[in-house]
């Protein structure tokens, strides 16, 4: 047997893997294989953060969902051995997990076993029936009321914070609601979650056998006709000085092109890494001024830690929005490596966030420019080695080209006056606001609870995501984002096949007892606004309690 084969067949104990992680190694479990991903971090096209969230975990479903067969084959280079039996997840270091080196092996195994039992335990409540579109708003709000704070956090609040006394009561109430929420999902014990994972993998095989991973290229021919019509209308109106109308057509074109960028980022068009990456760069950077590299780094993390206030960048919009009262404690973002401070600006925006939701999203595209350049100008964020090393430079070229044709040739040369230029700029960007509504719609009203490391990938994806119901002829307006539950379970599935896959996913959810939430577009928006309003009210109540507590303290002192 060769040294390489001998190394790959080595059996690692849980304690040895813990020690490796304690020593700083990035150990991931794939099936029964142990991967040591240290050397892969600077090469990973999706950034290092998504890898760090998988350290110490069984990442089989996440890797299968997000990576091609070729990428999975490449991972065999990093196999250092295997484990026996079903792996019980550690909490990754980036999420606060702590690990012991072999030097601390004197810690009693019984204590470790007790910790593992606690971390992997779940309720014994039977699963609930599937949610449908007839679920009442009150039921949804009751369900999500418990999705703000993990129970473990309630007991960790320090008694040395008197100004949060009333807030601790709210947290305790939330913890009670979480226990009720847990009753609606399959228990978190090993056998229940193993069954969910097994049937999820069977469903993936079913979709492959049905040919749903094959891209229907004829659908992209239809998309291209739409793009061409909008582009011609944009140029024609611009030529005849109908600047406002021209900007509407350009904004509409950007809106539809974003869905192709999303497809390319997930490698769901040609399934070829460089081909789809180049398609994404051409559309996002050259035509839209955005960065597909930034999107990949951000979006991969979102697909792994969906709706986690501390870890998912897609719901970290402080100071403008907070979808959970957990943001009131100035949580630290593991993605941005900074605290999301509840400062004066955040207090103002959050108290009125349900009124400001749509006005703020009108300017969402400007923020994407900022994020694109912050990514491209920071070499640490983009792959510096490996097959994707040159993507950053191609993206930079695309950015220069975009601002040449849009900023110089269109805004400056084709439009004669500054008022008209500013109007064109604002309208073309504000027309894309529905895209930002769609991006938040499927998650803002859903669970943000941390149910622990025992929860399966499939259950977490469905629990934190909802679909949007619409007639088939409107699918192109939503660009596949109306099938977010299906997409989160199978990110590489071509978007034009998502509607065909939806019945299979609904059947899977009924089979395992996971609620499947689907609303119409209007109802979904109402749920999001309601959620934002509830959090805003919680902040107002908290501030009133603080004022009363401060007044009582001052009067008490005067009394002495």
């Amino acid at each position: 047997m060769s040294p390489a084969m001998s190394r790959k067949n080595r059996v690692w104990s849980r304690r040895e893997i813990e020690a490796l992680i304690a020593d700083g190694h990035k150990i991931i479990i794939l099936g029964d294989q142990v991967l040591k991903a240290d050397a892969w971090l600077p090469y990973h096209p999706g950034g290092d953060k998504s890898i760090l969230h998988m350290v110490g975990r069984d990442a089989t479903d996440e890797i299968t969902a997000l990576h091609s067969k070729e990428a999975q084959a490449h991972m065999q280079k990093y196999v250092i051995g295997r484990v026996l039996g079903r792996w019980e997840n550690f909490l990754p270091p980036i999420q606060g997990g702590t690990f012991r080196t072999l030097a601390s092996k004197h810690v009693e195994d019984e204590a470790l076993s007790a910790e593992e039992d606690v971390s992997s335990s779940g309720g014994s409540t039977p699963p609930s029936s599937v949610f449908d579109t007839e679920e009442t708003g009150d039921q949804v709000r009751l369900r999500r009321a418990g999705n703000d704070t993990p129970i473990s956090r309630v007991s960790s609040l320090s008694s040395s914070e008197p100004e949060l006394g009333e807030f601790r009561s709210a947290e305790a109430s939330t913890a009670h609601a979480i226990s009720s929420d847990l009753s609606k999902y399959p228990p978190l014990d090993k056998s229940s979650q193993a069954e969910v994972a097994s049937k999820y993998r069977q469903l993936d095989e079913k979709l492959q056998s049905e040919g749903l991973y094959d891209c229907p290229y004829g659908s992209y021919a239809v998309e291209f006709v739409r793009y061409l019509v909008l582009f011609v209308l944009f140029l024609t109106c611009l030529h005849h000085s109908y600047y406002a109308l021209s900007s509407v057509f350009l904004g509409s074109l950007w809106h539809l092109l974003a869905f192709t960028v999303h497809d390319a980022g997930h490698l769901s068009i040609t399934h070829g890494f460089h081909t789809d990456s180049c398609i994404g760069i051409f559309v996002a950077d050259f035509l839209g001024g955005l960065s597909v590299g930034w999107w990949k780094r951000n979006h991969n993390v979102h697909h792994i830690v969906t709706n986690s206030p501390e870890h998912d960048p897609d719901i970290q919009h402080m100071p403008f929005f907070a979808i959970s009262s957990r943001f009131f404690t100035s949580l630290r973002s593991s993605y941005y490596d900074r605290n999301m401070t509840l400062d004066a600006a955040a207090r103002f925006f959050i108290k009125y966030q349900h009124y400001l939701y749509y006005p703020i999203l009108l300017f969402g595209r400007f923020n994407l420019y900022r994020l694109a350049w912050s990514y491209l100008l920071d070499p640490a964020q983009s792959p510096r080695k490996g097959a994707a090393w040159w993507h950053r430079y191609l993206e930079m070229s695309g950015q220069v080209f975009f601002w040449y044709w849009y900023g110089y040739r269109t805004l400056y040369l084709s439009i004669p006056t500054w008022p008209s230029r500013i109007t064109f700029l604002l309208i073309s960007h504000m027309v894309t606001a529905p895209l930002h509504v769609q991006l938040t719609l499927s998650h803002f009203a859903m669970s943000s609870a941390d149910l622990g490391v025992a929860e399966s990938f499939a259950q977490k994806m469905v629990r934190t995501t909802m679909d949007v119901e619409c007639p088939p002829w409107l699918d192109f307006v939503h660009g596949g984002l109306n099938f977010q539950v299906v997409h989160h379970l199978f990110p590489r599935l071509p978007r034009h096949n998502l509607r065909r896959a939806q019945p299979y996913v609904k059947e899977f959810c009924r089979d395992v007892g996971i609620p499947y939430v689907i609303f119409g577009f209007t109802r979904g928006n109402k749920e999001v606004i309601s959620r934002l309003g509830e959090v805003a009210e919680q902040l107002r109540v908290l501030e009133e309690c603080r004022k009363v507590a401060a007044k009582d303290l001052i009067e008490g002192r005067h009394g002495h």
Side-chain angles (χ1 to χ4, degrees):
M1 182 180 294
S2 67
M5 289 299 296
S6 178
R7 176 174 65 92
K8 290 186 177 183
N9 285 325
R10 172 180 173 174
V11 176
W12 291 83
S13 70
R14 181 177 178 82
R15 183 67 187 87
E16 288 173 324
I17 289 178
E18 179 186 10
L20 286 176
I21 298 173
D23 289 335
H25 297 295
K26 314 307 180 220
I27 306 299
I28 299 171
I29 308 301
L30 174 60
D32 66 345
Q33 295 179 313
V34 179
L35 304 184
K36 183 170 172 283
D38 305 40
W40 180 238
L41 284 183
Y43 293 86
H44 189 223
D48 61 340
K49 297 287 187 180
S50 54
I51 293 178
L52 296 179
H53 280 291
M54 289 291 97
V55 171
R57 295 177 59 96
D58 181 347
T60 304
D61 290 331
E62 288 86 347
I63 288 175
T64 303
L66 293 166
H67 295 82
S68 65
K69 298 294 184 184
E70 292 75 16
Q72 294 177 51
H74 179 75
M75 295 176 192
Q76 295 300 307
K77 293 173 56 178
Y78 304 96
V79 174
I80 62 170
R82 58 195 180 92
V83 294
L84 299 178
R86 179 174 171 81
W87 179 256
E88 294 183 28
N89 291 329
F90 285 117
L91 182 68
I94 193 174
Q95 297 181 17
T98 57
F99 296 82
R100 302 170 300 157
T101 63
L102 287 177
S104 60
K105 196 170 182 177
H106 64 274
V107 177
E108 292 183 297
D109 290 338
E110 290 80 2
L112 177 60
S113 298
E115 293 173 5
E116 292 172 358
D117 289 342
V118 171
S119 66
S120 61
S121 64
S124 58
T125 315
S128 71
S129 58
V130 179
F131 284 111
D132 57 30
T133 53
E134 299 302 316
E135 183 183 29
T136 68
D138 289 341
Q139 288 173 322
V140 173
R141 281 184 280 278
L142 177 61
R143 166 173 51 78
R144 75 188 184 209
N147 293 336
D148 290 335
T149 308
I151 296 174
S152 59
R153 279 184 50 83
V154 177
S155 60
S156 67
L157 290 171
S158 171
S159 60
S160 63
E161 303 173 24
E163 71 276 11
L164 294 182
E166 292 79 5
F167 188 47
R168 287 200 299 273
S169 297
E171 292 277 16
S173 175
T174 300
H176 175 74
I178 288 178
S179 64
S180 173
D181 182 73
L182 286 173
S183 71
K184 296 181 174 64
Y185 293 88
L188 298 178
D189 61 85
K190 299 175 188 176
S191 60
S192 297
Q193 292 303 306
E195 180 184 13
V196 172
S198 175
K199 291 186 175 180
Y200 164 67
R201 294 167 190 174
Q202 293 173 23
L203 174 59
D204 186 43
E205 293 175 358
K206 174 72 172 177
L207 298 183
Q208 292 186 47
S209 67
E210 294 288 333
L212 294 184
Y213 276 93
D214 300 331
C215 183
Y217 291 112
S219 298
Y220 278 103
V222 176
E223 298 289 348
F224 183 77
V225 171
R226 292 191 184 104
Y227 302 156
L228 186 60
V229 169
L230 289 172
F231 182 69
V232 170
L233 289 173
F234 150 63
L235 288 180
T236 301
C237 292
L238 184 66
H239 177 73
H240 292 287
S241 302
Y242 297 116
Y243 301 126
L245 194 56
S246 175
S247 64
V248 170
F249 290 128
L250 178 58
S252 300
L253 175 61
W254 282 339
H255 174 84
L256 295 185
L257 285 174
F259 304 134
T260 297
V261 176
H262 185 248
D263 299 341
H266 280 295
L267 309 184
S268 65
I269 301 177
T270 70
H271 306 298
F273 174 68
H274 285 301
T275 304
D276 278 3
S277 294
C278 286
I279 292 173
I281 291 172
F282 173 73
V283 176
D285 294 84
F286 284 78
L287 300 183
L290 310 181
S291 168
V292 72
W294 163 82
W295 177 88
K296 282 185 179 181
R297 187 175 192 266
N298 178 98
H299 201 65
N300 285 344
V301 174
H302 164 68
H303 268 269
I304 290 172
V305 288
T306 308
N307 260 28
S308 168
E310 295 94 339
H311 310 300
D312 182 0
D314 273 17
I315 64 168
Q316 295 176 348
H317 300 296
M318 295 284 278
F320 300 108
F321 301 123
I323 67 167
S324 165
S325 59
R326 292 172 63 187
F327 286 100
F328 299 169
T329 59
S330 298
L331 295 175
R332 183 164 187 82
S333 166
S334 64
Y335 183 84
Y336 294 109
D337 293 322
R338 60 175 172 80
N339 290 333
M340 296 175 285
T341 307
L342 186 68
D343 54 17
R347 292 176 187 278
F348 170 80
F349 283 111
I350 293 173
K351 279 191 290 187
Y352 303 102
Q353 61 181 359
H354 46 310
Y355 300 114
L356 297 174
Y357 175 66
Y358 296 112
I360 288 176
L361 293 186
L362 288 172
F363 299 92
R365 193 172 185 89
F366 293 103
N367 185 51
L368 295 182
Y369 293 145
R370 178 188 67 83
L371 292 168
W373 279 105
S374 67
Y375 169 82
L376 293 173
L377 294 178
D378 183 2
Q381 292 193 46
S382 55
R384 303 179 295 283
K385 303 176 182 178
W389 70 269
W390 53 273
H391 290 183
R392 174 172 173 249
Y393 301 101
L394 182 59
E395 286 202 80
M396 286 182 169
S397 300
Q399 294 291 322
V400 172
F401 179 81
F402 170 78
W403 288 108
Y404 170 74
W405 78 260
Y406 177 72
Y408 179 67
R409 300 285 303 181
T410 303
L411 280 179
Y412 186 72
L413 291 185
S414 301
I415 303 176
T417 65
W418 278 107
S420 297
R421 290 168 184 160
I422 294 173
T423 300
F424 187 96
L425 174 72
L426 292 177
I427 293 177
S428 62
H429 285 66
M430 289 179 176
V431 166
T432 66
L435 172 64
H436 302 283
V437 173
Q438 290 169 313
L439 292 172
T440 58
L441 182 61
S442 293
H443 298 294
F444 269 26
M446 295 301 292
S447 169
S448 59
D450 178 5
L451 297 189
V453 296
E455 186 178 29
S456 63
F457 169 77
Q459 178 168 313
K460 182 176 178 64
M461 292 304 101
V462 182
R463 182 173 60 83
T464 57
T465 311
M466 77 173 182
D467 275 359
V468 176
E469 191 174 43
C470 75
W473 64 270
L474 265 182
D475 281 351
F476 81 96
V477 176
H478 291 278
L481 300 183
N482 49 322
F483 300 108
Q484 281 286 290
V485 174
V486 185
H487 171 66
H488 267 258
L489 288 173
F490 307 102
R492 292 183 296 107
L493 207 65
R495 73 165 137 122
H496 299 100
N497 290 339
L498 293 175
R499 181 173 286 277
R500 290 175 57 197
Q502 189 184 52
Y504 294 103
V505 174
K506 287 184 175 180
E507 182 181 357
F508 158 75
C509 289
R510 283 192 294 268
D511 188 21
V512 298
I514 297 179
Y516 188 108
V517 182
I518 179 170
F519 293 132
F521 185 75
T522 301
R523 169 69 182 279
N525 274 265
K526 289 180 179 178
E527 293 300 327
V528 169
I529 296 300
S530 174
R531 175 65 172 265
L532 295 174
E534 290 168 8
V535 176
E537 181 61 26
Q538 290 170 6
L539 181 58
R540 278 191 287 269
V541 170
L542 173 62
E543 291 198 332
E544 287 299 320
C545 291
R546 282 175 168 166
K547 289 177 182 178
V548 171
K551 180 179 178 181
D552 290 345
L553 181 62
I554 293 173
E555 291 178 350
R557 286 177 177 173
H558 288 169
H560 285 293

